[in-house]
Amino acid sequence: QVQVAESGGGMVQAGDSLTLSCIDSGPRFADHSMGWFRQRPGNEREGISCTTWNRKITYYATSVKGRFTISQDNAKNTLWLQMNGLKPEDSGMYYCAAAVCRPTPEEALDARQYDRWGQGTQVTVSS
């Protein structure tokens, strides 16, 4: 089955932590990129964090550096996003996505470069 599925969203209070999970069962190249994206109402999807699957080169949006951590289990095709110190501005629909390897931060955090997407999981942070 060709599928990307994420889960773990929820409603939390500012300062809380949350961990999102993603399983990619689709076809993959020898090296590829996987990332987390967020979409807020009325806005385009923005890159939050991503990784090159084999080399584990990671990138983070400036707004989440030091608070969010991306991790992976290559054998299980699983990706996580650990979110600590959540803020109301972190709220949004979070998506997991996969693409042919995009080694530069500009491309790796660009939603337009990804072609396999999960359905999204909602994260709501209350003050």
Side-chain angles (χ1 to χ4, degrees), residues 50-69:
C50 60
T51 179
T52 53
W53 203 244
N54 292 339
R55 291 172 286 174
K56 298 183 179 180
I57 300 173
T58 59
Y59 301 112
Y60 294 90
T62 301
S63 63
V64 306
K65 287 182 179 179
R67 298 189 298 118
F68 290 11
T69 302

Side-chain angles (χ1 to χ4, degrees), residues 100-112:
V100 173
C101 184
R102 304 297 187 187
T104 66
E106 292 79 13
E107 289 186 313
L109 290 173
D110 183 358
R112 296 173 296 180

Side-chain angles (χ1 to χ4, degrees), residues 73-110:
D73 184 333
N74 291 37
K76 296 183 177 181
N77 297 321
T78 303
L79 184 73
W80 294 274
L81 182 67
Q82 181 181 340
M83 303 182 290
N84 297 326
L86 284 163
K87 305 175 180 179
E89 53 262 43
D90 294 323
S91 298
M93 184 70 73
Y94 282 73
Y95 297 88
C96 177
V100 173
C101 184
R102 304 297 187 187
T104 66
E106 292 79 13
E107 289 186 313
L109 290 173
D110 183 358

